[in-house]
C-alpha cells in the first residue's frame, strides 16, 4: 500500500518524521513514532529480511550508539540518541525499499526545483543522491564478500 503512494509524498513524510523524531522530548512521542514505523513496515509489505539487509551497513553505528547510550553521563540523552537513530533508519529503509530509483530521482528533482533559479544543476544532484542510495548496499555486499574471501584464504 505504501508503495502506491507518490514518491514525493513518501519523501516529504520521511522528512517530517525525521524532524519530529530529532526534536522529540517526551517518551510518548517516541512510543508513537515507534508505532508509526512498525505500522509502516507492516503496511508496506517489506520483508523483515530486507530490513535486516538494509541495516547491515549500519550495525557498526548501532553498536557504537548503544555503547555511547550505556556509558553516557546523561544516560537518558544517550538512550534517546540511540532510539532516534533506530527510528530514523527504519523510516528511511521503508522509503528506500518502497520507492524505485527513478521515482526517487524524479521526486528529488521536484523538491530541488526552486534551486534552479540559482542555476544549480538539480538533475545532477538528484542523480548523485539516487546513485548513492542505490550503490551503498551493493558496495557493502561486495565488501562482505571480500572479507569472507580473505578469511577463507587465511589472510
Amino acid at each position: 500500500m505504501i508503495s502506491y503512494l507518490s514518491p514525493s509524498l513518501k519523501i516529504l513524510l520521511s522528512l517530517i518524521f525525521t524532524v519530529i523524531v530529532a526534536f522529540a522530548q517526551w517518551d510518548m512521542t517516541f512510543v508513537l513514532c515507534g508505532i508509526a514505523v512498525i505500522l509502516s513496515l507492516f503496511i508496506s509489505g517489506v520483508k523483515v529480511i530486507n530490513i535486516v539487509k538494509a541495516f547491515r551497513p549500519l550495525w557498526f553505528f548501532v553498536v557504537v550508539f548503544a555503547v555511547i547510550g550505556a556509558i553516557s553521563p546523561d544516560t537518558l540523552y544517550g538512550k534517546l540518541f540511540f532510539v532516534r537513530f533506530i527510528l530514523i533508519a527504519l523510516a528511511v529503509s521503508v522509503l528506500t525499499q518502497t520507492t524505485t530509483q527513478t521515482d526517487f530521482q524524479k521526486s528529488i528533482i521536484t523538491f530541488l526545483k526552486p534551486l534552479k533559479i540559482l542555476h544549480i544543476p538539480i538533475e545532477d544532484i538528484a542523480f548523485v543522491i539516487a546513485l548513492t542510495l542505490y550503490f551503498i548496499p551493493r558496495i557493502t555486499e561486495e565488501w562482505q564478500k571480500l572479507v569472507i574471501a580473505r578469511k577463507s584464504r587465511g589472510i
Side-chain angles (χ1 to χ4, degrees), residues 9-28:
L9 180 63
K10 288 190 276 189
I11 291 172
L12 183 64
L13 290 174
S14 294
L15 288 173
I16 292 169
F17 181 82
T18 301
V19 169
I20 289 171
V21 170
F23 292 108
Q25 296 294 322
W26 299 285
D27 293 338
M28 192 51 120

Side-chain angles (χ1 to χ4, degrees), residues 19-152:
V19 169
I20 289 171
V21 170
F23 292 108
Q25 296 294 322
W26 299 285
D27 293 338
M28 192 51 120
T29 307
F30 288 109
V31 170
L32 292 175
C33 288
I35 291 170
V37 167
I38 291 170
L39 283 175
S40 68
L41 285 169
F42 284 120
I43 292 171
S44 69
V46 175
K47 296 179 182 173
V48 175
I49 191 73
N50 292 342
I51 298 297
V52 171
K53 285 180 182 178
F55 259 79
R56 259 191 225 153
L58 303 175
W59 283 118
F60 172 76
F61 295 107
V62 169
V63 170
V64 167
F65 293 149
V67 169
I68 289 172
I71 65 173
S72 174
D74 183 6
T75 56
L76 179 63
Y77 176 78
K79 290 176 182 150
L80 290 181
F81 188 76
F82 176 72
V83 170
R84 283 183 176 115
F85 177 76
I86 295 295
L87 287 174
I88 291 170
L90 283 172
V92 169
S93 68
V94 169
L95 170 70
T96 57
Q97 296 283 326
T98 60
T99 309
T100 65
Q101 180 184 2
T102 307
D103 290 340
F104 191 80
Q105 185 175 351
K106 288 178 184 175
S107 297
I108 294 292
I109 289 171
T110 302
F111 281 113
L112 296 179
K113 272 207 173 145
L115 296 177
K116 201 156 188 132
I117 296 169
L118 302 172
H119 302 291
I120 296 176
I122 60 173
E123 290 85 6
D124 295 341
I125 293 171
F127 183 68
V128 168
I129 291 170
L131 279 179
T132 302
L133 289 174
Y134 180 75
F135 279 111
I136 286 176
R138 278 132 190 96
I139 291 171
T140 304
E141 289 172 10
E142 292 300 321
W143 178 260
Q144 289 171 347
K145 289 178 186 176
L146 179 68
V147 168
I148 291 169
R150 291 182 76 194
K151 284 182 183 178
S152 68

